[in-house]
Amino acid sequence: MKKSIFTIVVLLALAAAVLLLLFPMQSPAADPTGASYVATTGSETIADVATTANKAYFGANYTWVMICAFMVFFFQCGFAMVETGFTRGKNAAHTMTMNFMVFLVGAIGYFLVGFALQMGGSGGAAGLGMGGAALDSMLKIPGLGGVMGYKGFMLNGTYDAGIYALFFFQMVFMDTTVTIPTGAMAERVKYSAVVITSFFISMVLYPFFANWVWGGGWLATLGANFGLGHGVVDFAGSGVVHSMGGMIALSGAIVLGPRIGKFKKDGTARAFPGHDIPMAIVGTIILFFCWFSFNVGSTLNSTDFRLSVVATNTMIAGAIGGLVAMFYMWVKFGKPDPSMTANGTLAGLVAITAPCAFVDGVSSFLIGLIAGILVCVSVSFVENKLKLDDPVGAISVHGVNGFWGMIALGLFADGKYGDGFNGVAGAVRGLFYGDATQLYAQLIALAVLLIWGFGVSFIFFKILDKVWGLRIAPEAELEGLDIPEMGVLAYPDNQLVRSELDYDSADNVEIKQLRRFNYLPFHKQPVPAKASIDAAVPVELISKPAKAVGSDVKITKIEIITKQSRFEALKEAMNGIGVTGMTVTQVLGCGMQKGKTEFYRGVETEVNLLPKVQVEIVVTKVPVRTVIETAKSVLYTGHFGDGKIFVYDVENVIKVRTGEEGYDALQDDDNP
C-alpha cells in the first residue's frame, strides 16, 4: 500500500514538472498585495481608478449580501426541524411540509406584490449602488410620511442587479415571518388554510409594516418628522420579522383553539411532548448558525466593520439566553428541559436582533439573560393563564421576545453607531444613554404591531375560518394529519401513529371538546336504523374449556380492535359500565377496510395497513354481553373500519405481587 501511494505521488510530481516545462507560468506584475488593481499606472486617470475601486467595493457588497441571503434561506431548514421535532410523530410529514411550502408561497407572493409594497419607495440601498430613481414611488400621507411603495411589482421596470440583490435579501427575511405562525398552529390547522395565509402575509400583512420601518415609511421618519430619536430602529428584525410573526401566531392560536385533549376539565394543561427532541436541537443549532447572516448581513455592506460587533453580540445573547433558560427549568423542575433550552437560545437571538448593531457586549449579555427568563415565564403564562395552545412556543419566542428586543434597543443603544440612520444626524442612543425619545419611538412600533400584526391577522383568520375553514376535522386530528392531509406517513416503517391513550379516565374534557365540534356524540347518539349493527360489527366467539383456579367464576377476555379516533369514546363507555382495567396497544392492521389509495410523486400507492388501537379487557363481575353491546353502540358508524370484537375464555389469571390466582387475582380497586 505504501509503495502504491509513493508511486502515485512520484507520477503526479513528474506530470506537474512536464506541464510546467510545456506551459511556463507567465510572469505577472510584481504585486503580491494586489495594489496594482487600483494604482495609477501608465495612462490611467483618476476616473479610471475610481471606477475600478467602485467596482471592487460594490462587488464585495453584492457578494456579501447574496451569501448572507443564502444562509438566511437555510433558516427554513432550521425552522422545519425545530417545529417537527417539537410536535408529535403522527403529524411530522404535515409539519415539515408546511415549513417548506410557506417558503414557496411566500417567495412568489412577495415577488408578485410584496416587494413593491415594501421597498417601492425606498430609493434602494446605497451599498448596492442603486440610485434614488430605482425605487422611488411612495404613497404618502401629508404630515405623517409614507405608507406603501408602488414600484417593482413582479420586479417589472426595475431590471437592476442591485434591486435583484435587495429583493432576494428582503424576501428571505419575509419568509421567516411567514414560517413563524406555523409552529403555533401545528397539529390541527388545514394545509390549504396555511397556503392561503402565506399568500396574505407575504403580499399584504408583512410588506406594509416592513415598509413603515425599513422602506422609508412613517415609522422610520418619526425622528425626522416628530423628533422621536431616529424614528423606529430595528436593525435586523426583532419587530419587523419576529414580533410580526409572533402576533400572527397569537391570533392563529386563538382562532384555532387548542388541540383536542390539551386542557383537562379543570383547565390545567397536558404535556404533548415532541416526538424527536434531537431533531429540534439540531434545528436550533442550524438557526443559531444562520442567525449570524441574519443580523450581520443587515449591514448590506461588507466594509462596515461594525459587523464584528453585530456577530459577537448575536453569539453572546443567544448563548446566555439558552443557558439561563436551561438553569431556570433545572432549578424549578429538577431537569434541564432540552426543549426550553432550545427556546431560550432562540429567544436570546430574537431579542438581540433589533439592537445588535447599537449595543456593546455587556448589554447583549443582559438582553439575552432577560430573554432566557422571559421565554420560560411567557410559555407558562400563555399555556396556563391564557389557555392558548402553542406547540412550539412561537408566541413566546418570537412575539414576546421580539417586543423585548425593540424595547431593549430603546434602553441600551449606546450612541456609538448609526450616525444618519433614518435621516437623523448623530448616533442612535437609548434611554440609558440620554435619549428617552428613542424608547418612545420603539413603543409606538409595538402599539402598531398589536393593531396591525395581531388585529388584522385576527380578523383575517376569523374570515378565513368562516369562508374556508381553518381547522382540520377532529377525526383527522386524533389520527394524525399525515395521511388525511399529506397522503403519506412520515415514518411508515417504524413508528405507529400516536393517540392520546394515557389520559385520566375521570377527566373527559376531550369528549366534550369533540362534541363542541359536532363530531359524533359517540354512544349517546341513537344507532341509525338503516343498517344492522350485527351485520356491521361481527362478533366472534372463540371458546376454550374454562379451568377455574381458586374459584369457579368464569373469566373472560374481550379484545376490541378499532380506529384510534374512537378510543376516548370507548374508554368513557367502559368506565360507565364499571370496567376500569384495560390494556391498550397501538397496532397496524386491515380487514374489510382494505386501506386507502394515495399518490406519491404522482404515482398511485396503496396504504394497506392502517393505524388501529387494540383494547384488551378481562372481566368477571361485569357481564360479557354488557361489554359487547356497549362497545358495539359506541363504535358503530356503518362504515368499514368500525372494528371487530373478539371474546375468549381465560384459563387462569395470576397476580405476580401476591400469588393470587383466578377470580381472586382480579379483585382489587383497579379491575372488575
Side-chain angles (χ1 to χ4, degrees):
M1 177 63 71
K2 291 182 178 180
K3 290 183 177 180
S4 299
I5 295 174
F6 178 76
T7 302
I8 293 171
V9 171
V10 170
L11 290 173
L12 289 173
L14 290 172
V18 171
L19 289 172
L20 287 172
L21 290 172
L22 295 174
F23 306 100
M25 294 180 60
Q26 299 296 315
S27 181
D31 184 21
T33 65
S36 62
Y37 291 118
V38 295
T40 55
T41 60
S43 61
E44 291 178 302
T45 64
I46 297 296
D48 294 330
V49 176
T51 298
T52 301
N54 280 337
K55 286 182 178 180
Y57 169 77
F58 290 121
N61 289 350
Y62 273 58
T63 303
W64 171 253
V65 168
M66 294 306 295
I67 289 175
C68 288
F70 299 155
M71 294 303 301
V72 175
F73 165 75
F74 201 51
F75 254 45
Q76 295 298 136
C77 179
F79 274 120
M81 296 182 73
V82 169
E83 293 184 12
T84 303
F86 282 165
T87 52
R88 293 168 291 181
K90 65 183 182 180
N91 303 308
H94 185 270
T95 305
M96 185 70 75
T97 308
M98 273 201 308
N99 277 267
F100 178 53
M101 175 272 295
V102 295
F103 167 78
L104 306 177
V105 173
I108 298 304
Y110 194 67
F111 166 72
L112 294 173
V113 175
F115 178 71
L117 294 180
Q118 179 185 339
M119 306 302 294
S122 68
L128 298 176
M130 293 179 288
L135 297 168
D136 60 355
S137 299
M138 173 80 78
L139 178 64
K140 298 182 178 180
I141 297 177
L144 181 64
V147 293
M148 59 173 284
Y150 57 90
K151 190 171 183 179
F153 294 103
M154 299 181 67
L155 294 175
N156 188 39
T158 55
Y159 199 3
D160 179 272
I163 293 176
Y164 273 60
L166 182 65
F167 166 83
F168 195 100
F169 188 79
Q170 290 292 334
M171 182 271 294
V172 292
F173 274 60
M174 175 280 305
D175 254 321
T176 298
T177 302
V178 178
T179 301
I180 291 168
T182 62
M185 302 165 70
E187 301 202 283
R188 72 274 200 203
V189 67
K190 286 184 179 179
Y191 188 84
S192 59
V194 180
V195 173
I196 298 170
T197 301
S198 299
F199 272 118
F200 177 70
I201 297 172
S202 63
M203 298 173 72
V204 179
L205 198 61
Y206 174 90
F208 272 95
F209 187 76
N211 171 269
W212 301 339
V213 179
W214 287 346
W218 69 277
L219 288 175
T221 58
L222 288 177
N225 292 339
F226 301 99
L228 297 179
H230 284 66
V232 174
V233 177
D234 185 359
F235 189 74
S238 288
V240 175
V241 175
H242 296 282
S243 289
M244 175 60 71
M247 292 299 96
I248 302 169
L250 175 61
S251 63
I254 292 173
V255 176
L256 267 175
R259 289 167 290 177
I260 295 172
K262 176 60 181 177
F263 294 101
K264 299 179 183 179
K265 190 175 183 179
D266 60 3
T268 57
R270 291 191 176 98
F272 285 171
H275 83 286
D276 196 338
I277 299 301
M279 178 191 291
I281 298 299
V282 172
T284 303
I285 295 171
I286 290 173
L287 288 173
F288 203 147
F289 175 67
C290 295
W291 222 289
F292 294 114
S293 294
F294 197 86
N295 287 358
V296 176
S298 295
T299 60
L300 297 179
N301 193 324
S302 65
T303 59
D304 187 343
F305 297 147
R306 190 72 175 180
L307 61 87
S308 63
V309 176
V310 173
T312 302
N313 287 343
T314 301
M315 182 273 293
I316 292 171
I320 190 61
L323 193 65
V324 167
M326 180 187 77
F327 282 120
Y328 181 96
M329 302 302 290
W330 206 338
V331 171
K332 189 169 183 178
F333 300 103
K335 297 289 178 62
D337 188 326
S339 68
M340 288 307 301
T341 303
N343 275 350
T345 299
L346 298 177
L349 293 169
V350 168
I352 199 61
T353 296
C356 57
F358 306 100
V359 300
D360 60 13
V362 174
S363 295
S364 298
F365 181 90
L366 294 173
I367 292 168
L369 186 150
I370 294 171
I373 297 173
L374 194 58
V375 73
C376 294
V377 175
S378 177
V379 165
S380 177
F381 181 82
V382 167
E383 190 166 89
N384 297 314
K385 299 299 182 182
L386 299 182
K387 307 300 180 184
L388 296 177
D389 186 9
D390 180 0
V392 305
I395 298 168
S396 300
V397 170
H398 302 278
V400 173
N401 278 286
F403 272 42
W404 164 232
M406 294 292 284
I407 294 171
L409 187 147
L411 297 174
F412 293 102
D414 58 13
K416 299 294 193 296
Y417 182 76
D419 187 17
F421 201 91
N422 284 336
V424 179
V428 179
R429 297 179 183 273
L431 175 64
F432 298 155
Y433 294 87
D435 189 359
T437 63
Q438 186 62 56
L439 179 61
Y440 301 155
Q442 301 300 102
L443 294 175
I444 291 172
L446 300 188
V448 175
L449 274 166
L450 285 170
I451 298 170
W452 180 258
F454 173 75
V456 175
S457 63
F458 182 82
I459 295 170
F460 169 79
F461 282 131
K462 279 290 191 180
I463 295 172
L464 182 63
D465 191 38
K466 292 292 184 182
V467 175
W468 187 265
L470 197 59
R471 186 160 182 153
I472 198 70
E475 183 172 4
E477 182 180 341
L478 288 170
E479 294 188 0
L481 275 62
D482 283 2
I483 290 294
E485 288 272 275
M486 299 289 100
V488 63
L489 289 171
Y491 312 110
D493 297 327
N494 58 10
Q495 181 168 329
L496 304 183
V497 176
R498 288 187 60 190
S499 186
E500 313 333 314
L501 306 179
D502 56 347
Y503 296 155
D504 183 3
S505 298
D507 188 358
N508 296 310
V509 68
E510 305 94 330
I511 305 299
K512 296 179 181 179
Q513 197 173 2
L514 290 170
R515 292 193 182 117
R516 245 188 351 261
F517 294 140
N518 295 318
Y519 174 60
L520 295 177
F522 306 120
H523 62 286
K524 296 183 180 180
Q525 179 182 345
V527 175
K530 64 179 182 180
S532 166
I533 293 181
D534 290 327
V537 186
V539 178
E540 302 183 20
L541 297 174
I542 305 173
S543 299
K544 292 181 179 179
K547 296 181 181 180
V549 179
S551 173
D552 58 357
V553 178
K554 184 178 181 180
I555 304 171
T556 305
K557 176 183 177 182
I558 301 156
E559 182 180 286
I560 304 167
I561 301 175
T562 189
K563 293 183 281 188
Q564 290 187 341
S565 60
R566 311 303 295 176
F567 174 72
E568 289 297 335
L570 178 64
K571 182 175 66 174
E572 183 190 39
M574 291 297 106
N575 291 340
I577 62 173
V579 175
T580 58
M582 60 182 67
T583 300
V584 182
T585 309
Q586 300 168 77
V587 297
L588 294 175
C590 65
M592 294 297 293
Q593 188 184 14
K594 298 298 184 181
K596 298 181 180 179
T597 299
E598 302 289 351
F599 292 88
Y600 180 72
R601 297 182 180 272
V603 179
E604 188 175 287
T605 182
E606 189 171 290
V607 182
N608 291 316
L609 297 177
L610 303 175
K612 303 286 184 180
V613 63
Q614 178 176 306
V615 180
E616 297 172 271
I617 301 168
V618 178
V619 296
T620 55
K621 293 187 290 187
V622 179
V624 174
R625 180 50 57 178
T626 300
V627 175
I628 293 171
E629 294 300 328
T630 302
K632 287 163 64 177
S633 68
V634 170
L635 301 177
Y636 175 78
T637 67
H639 301 287
F640 289 128
D642 283 351
K644 284 187 172 64
I645 302 172
F646 300 87
V647 182
Y648 307 87
D649 289 337
V650 178
E651 182 174 335
N652 194 13
V653 179
I654 299 122
K655 183 185 292 186
V656 175
R657 177 173 58 86
T658 63
E660 295 172 297
E661 298 191 19
Y663 175 86
D664 296 332
L666 296 174
Q667 303 317 298
D668 57 36
D669 294 335
D670 299 321
N671 292 289

